[in-house]
Amino acid sequence: MSSEGPVGPAGVMPVRRSSFLRLRQWLSKWSDWRAQMARRLDRFTDKPQGRHLRRWILRLPGVDRWKLHRIFTRRYARTFGRQPNLAQPRLFTEYITHRIVYDRDPLLKLACDKLAVREYVGRTAGSQYVAPLIGAWRRVDRIDWLALPLPMVLKPNNQSGLYEIVRHLNDLDRLKSACAAWLEQDYFDRSLEWGYRGLPRRILAEPLLRAPDGGSLIEVLAFTFHGQPLVLLAVTGDKRDKRRFCTANLDARGGRLDLRGTAHVIEEVLSPDQQRRFLAQVESAREEILAAAARVGAAFPYVRVDFYITDQGLKIGELTPYPAGGRGRYSPPDWDARLGEMLRQSATQRPRRRKLFRTVWPPLD
């Protein structure tokens, strides 16, 4: 017998077992080295001097999703103490995280652009739901500040949660600096949500909306699943204040829900008269909100349609495709699973997807 070992079928020499062991060891070392390099890259790109490299990496086709998966699984684990199941999401927060990492639907860019979405709202729900607009500008030096009606709200079209309520022009230099900073930033570099990446940058000016009774403005957030608004969350107070007050949590039939988000419940802070006044406003507008949200949200698997109850009727302020960046805490905790189940069940009854509307930009200065 040959010293090379036994001969297999058709005279083929089988690979030695030691060769398999060496291959496994090499693959193990390669995997460890790749994980070590990925950790070093993560640490470097999280530092200020590595931000330019991270911007470049997150714009590479294919690589961006791998990098986003690593970032958002770590963020999710830090928030909830567990890893998200992005392969088969069941919780609502897992669905939103999956959308951030993998979904590249062009409608997401439409929803994130506060200027382009106005046309979409007008086409689907009706022009009466579009909030009034004073103007939109590409550059700060094109704004004629003295000609603007006060009070008003300034905000960027390509970012979330940033705005300035302007009641006078005594601090005009600060306003100009804030607007210039908004125009310089691609919000994707901060949020890492694909819908904001590369959006045209504009400064929007809108008149300050007022409540029907002159009191605090009520915002109704319609959680819409495949065109079905199933949960209404009504809140009041400053958006930048984490202690926003919750006026009511309702289902589509008007029943009260035990859902609590980060907002405090209204019963804890408002008098019985104020409670009745807020609840009456929400209930009187409920049917109209449901009808408008169904038309606006028909093209999305999920979107939150944000309404304002104003003295000029209902106005849609914005569409929110990434609520709380996929890391919103719901109380009781089982609401995370219940919202996820609503999304799955509504998918079996989803209407035919609407055609994507061509964005027509209004004339700008």
Side-chain angles (χ1 to χ4, degrees), residues 14 59 163 184 192:
R59 284 163 171 79
Y163 65 93
E184 290 176 358
L192 303 183

Side-chain angles (χ1 to χ4, degrees), residues 261-275:
T262 55
H264 292 257
V265 228
I266 198 172
E267 287 84 353
E268 298 175 356
V269 292
L270 298 181
S271 67
D273 289 339
Q274 291 174 315
Q275 295 175 32

Side-chain angles (χ1 to χ4, degrees), residues 11 28-29 32 37 64 71 86 100-101 112 123 132 136 166 189 197 214 264 273 276 301 325 328 345-346 348:
S28 176
K29 290 180 180 179
D32 293 343
M37 291 300 103
D64 59 337
I71 293 174
L86 300 186
I100 294 173
V101 175
C112 292
R123 286 176 178 264
V166 183
D189 295 328
R197 192 174 84 180
H264 292 257
D273 289 339
R276 285 192 293 269
Q345 291 182 356
S346 64
T348 63

